[in-house]
Amino acid sequence: MRSPTPPPRVSTRSGPSPIPATPATDDRSLQARLRRQPVMAAIYGMQHLTAFLDSAAEVGIMAHVELRELQAVIASFKAAGKFPLLNVDTCEGLAQDKAAIDYLVAIGVPALVSTRVATLVRANRAGMITMQKVFVTDRTTWPRSLKALEQSEPNLVQLMPAPMLTQLQQADRAVLPPIVASGFVCNEDDARAALAAGAVALSSSEQRLWNLPTGAISAP
């Protein structure tokens, strides 16, 4: 999925941090997958894993998985030809120190999601793809979120809730990493609205969206 030496990260002070790309001939890269199918499945617990593995979605965010099950879960993603992102903040039994990040790399986790700057920085250093989850509750929280993104330099930002996209100023968009819209994405119209508002992808636990055919929704 990734070249041995990850590309340099771009500070959010000067522009968005790109998703590490693989050669154009490798259509299993994260970029290529999201171009084909911009719906990331949000998988909350093992009970929804089979539905995802059998779905059309190519990328899944796995949350609420126990440490003892994690290696088998990652293996099941790869056997099904899926790309996993691990919501590390919800992984019971796993610390978020350097040893934990090294363990995730060793078992084949290519990407993680977190709200924690220190965790994302460690994952960046280990060559993982990173996505920072950002909850925007009101205008006062947004400057703090921008500061955290500047510090962690993730490849993607998971922006919640999705309607927040329409409130972003152009100056903010210019320094943000590529945006994954999340929260209140319940149907195809919501998905199209998020892409039209500038998201590169969206995440949803709505299984109907996991099974949209390739090309059913796309950015304008």
Side-chain angles (χ1 to χ4, degrees), residues 135-145 160-161 164:
F135 301 91
V136 183
T137 56
D138 55 48
R139 291 182 182 179
T140 64
T141 64
W142 184 236
R144 293 198 298 272
S145 297
M160 306 178 72
M164 172 64 187

Side-chain angles (χ1 to χ4, degrees), residues 80-150:
K82 309 289 190 179
F83 189 97
L85 293 93
L86 176 66
N87 185 334
V88 70
D89 296 348
T90 68
C91 188
E92 185 176 346
L94 183 69
Q96 297 198 28
D97 56 10
K98 182 181 182 299
I101 298 300
D102 289 346
Y103 170 74
L104 295 179
V105 172
I107 66 170
V109 178
L112 61 75
V113 182
S114 181
T115 60
R116 302 175 184 180
V117 170
T119 298
L120 293 162
V121 169
R122 291 186 187 104
N124 289 344
R125 290 171 179 165
M128 302 178 80
I129 294 172
T130 54
M131 181 162 72
Q132 184 162 348
K133 180 178 286 192
V134 171
F135 301 91
V136 183
T137 56
D138 55 48
R139 291 182 182 179
T140 64
T141 64
W142 184 236
R144 293 198 298 272
S145 297
L146 287 176
K147 182 64 175 177
L149 288 164
E150 182 179 314

Side-chain angles (χ1 to χ4, degrees), residues 35-73:
R35 283 194 296 267
R36 287 193 298 265
Q37 172 53 282
V39 178
M40 290 184 176
I43 311 154
Y44 297 105
M46 297 293 290
Q47 66 270 31
H48 303 296
L49 180 58
T50 299
F52 164 69
L53 296 176
D54 292 338
S55 76
E58 295 194 38
V59 180
I61 303 170
M62 190 71 211
H64 301 291
V65 55
E66 294 183 19
L67 180 58
R68 62 186 175 85
E69 298 173 316
L70 183 55
Q71 188 168 2
V73 167

